[in-house]
Amino acid sequence: PLVAKDFDWRVRHLLAAVRASGGRSKVREALVMIATYTAQKERDGVKNWPAYLLTLLKKFDPEAAASDTKGRSGKGGGKGGGKG
């Protein structure tokens, strides 16, 4: 049930961090894990697919997730960037 738009910039960025920490084979393992978990889900059963994929990847490789978060600290303003 996955579509290209499910792999938003956050998911792609975390996959890049996974690759940096473990190489292509680690990315392949991550994608196999994603395919396994998402095959059991209905498209309508997940409200936010990119967030779901991000959660799966963070559980798969917590170290890459931590380094990804550390690398982005200080950038952007997060939700609600001050306009209002």
Side-chain angles (χ1 to χ4, degrees), residues 2-3 6 9 12 15-16 18 24 26 28-29 33 37 42-43 46 48-49 51 54-55 65 73 75 78 83:
L2 290 174
V3 295
D6 296 334
W9 68 272
R12 292 191 311 267
L15 282 170
V18 170
R24 286 184 177 182
K26 186 100 174 198
R28 279 191 211 104
E29 290 174 28
M33 179 271 307
Y37 277 86
E42 292 292 324
R43 188 81 196 158
V46 175
N48 186 336
W49 279 92
L54 210 55
T55 299
S73 65
K75 291 187 178 179
K83 291 189 175 182

Side-chain angles (χ1 to χ4, degrees), residues 18-53:
V18 170
R19 182 177 183 204
S21 72
R24 286 184 177 182
S25 62
K26 186 100 174 198
V27 173
R28 279 191 211 104
E29 290 174 28
L31 293 174
V32 167
M33 179 271 307
I34 286 174
T36 301
Y37 277 86
T38 58
Q40 302 168 14
K41 296 281 185 183
E42 292 292 324
R43 188 81 196 158
D44 295 335
V46 175
K47 187 175 182 179
N48 186 336
W49 279 92
Y52 179 64
L53 296 183

Side-chain angles (χ1 to χ4, degrees), residues 1 14 36 45 66 72 77 80:
L14 187 48
T36 301
R72 288 186 294 148

Side-chain angles (χ1 to χ4, degrees), residues 10 13-14 17 54 58 63-73:
R10 296 172 301 167
H13 202 276
L14 187 48
L54 210 55
K58 286 178 181 180
E63 289 180 16
S67 70
D68 181 51
T69 303
K70 194 184 315 178
R72 288 186 294 148
S73 65

